[in-house]
Amino acid sequence: MAPNGKTICPITDFHVTTEAGDHAVGVDVPETKLDQPIRQRRQATQADVHIGRRIRELRLIKGISQEGLAKDIDVTFQQIQKYEKGINRVSASTLLDICSALGVAPHHLLPVTAAEAAPEPETPLSLMIARLNPEGQRLLYEIVDTLLSSKHLTRSR
């Protein structure tokens, strides 16, 4: 029993008091994290999905595997998968690490407008691209990049 008349529970260090008539037990519990309000987790936004899509596109263009990028920025390849799918948000410092590993400036990953961050409807072309394995997608991006560099095959702005 403590000097103030309370019994100290040796296991939890809680102070236990009893009332003499009704045998009620009172417990003085120290404040814990459980007493604090629960913070809501933020959901990934369309901008996060856009950034993830751009990470995947640029990674494939550069011919870097998810494992390779993960090793370069010191995360697991599962984390890269979550970034690319827009499941997990990419922090600013991780975004800079990814940009460094891919050899691009951060603005290459960020949406320019809110409309660009909006979900894109599935098109026949996007469905076909999704069926390609990473090597096929990398080759397709190289072909498109070559076509876009030819002035007579592109639209004038």
Side-chain angles (χ1 to χ4, degrees):
M1 187 171 290
N4 61 3
K6 296 183 179 182
T7 305
I8 298 175
C9 177
I11 297 172
T12 62
D13 223 13
F14 294 161
H15 300 281
V16 180
T17 59
T18 60
E19 292 179 14
D22 57 5
H23 302 289
V25 175
V27 179
D28 297 330
V29 181
E31 186 175 315
T32 65
K33 287 186 177 184
L34 297 176
D35 298 326
Q36 298 170 359
I38 298 173
R39 195 174 102 215
Q40 293 289 336
R41 290 193 72 170
R42 292 181 66 185
Q43 295 287 330
T45 65
Q46 289 304 319
D48 298 314
V49 173
H50 172 86
I51 290 168
R53 188 181 313 123
R54 290 292 296 148
I55 290 170
R56 179 174 171 79
E57 289 172 359
L58 291 169
R59 179 181 59 75
L60 291 171
I61 289 170
K62 303 282 184 174
I64 301 172
S65 67
Q66 287 180 331
E67 294 85 358
L69 180 57
K71 185 178 178 184
D72 287 347
I73 67 167
D74 199 30
V75 298
T76 64
F77 82 91
Q78 290 94 337
Q79 188 62 44
I80 297 296
Q81 288 175 330
K82 290 177 182 181
Y83 290 150
E84 290 183 354
K85 291 179 181 178
I87 295 169
N88 284 9
R89 306 182 91 176
V90 181
S91 70
S93 59
T94 301
L95 182 75
L96 293 174
D97 290 343
I98 291 170
C99 288
S100 176
L102 295 175
V104 298
H107 72 269
H108 289 290
L109 298 179
L110 302 175
V112 176
T113 64
E116 188 178 353
E120 295 178 8
E122 293 291 334
T123 63
L125 182 59
S126 66
L127 293 172
M128 287 187 283
I129 292 170
R131 291 180 49 207
L132 294 172
N133 67 20
E135 177 64 14
Q137 289 182 359
R138 186 185 65 74
L139 291 171
L140 179 61
Y141 283 116
E142 286 180 10
I143 292 168
V144 171
D145 189 49
T146 302
L147 290 172
L148 291 175
S149 66
S150 177
K151 294 207 185 285
H152 72 282
L153 296 176
T154 58
R155 294 182 185 146
S156 59
R157 289 186 177 200

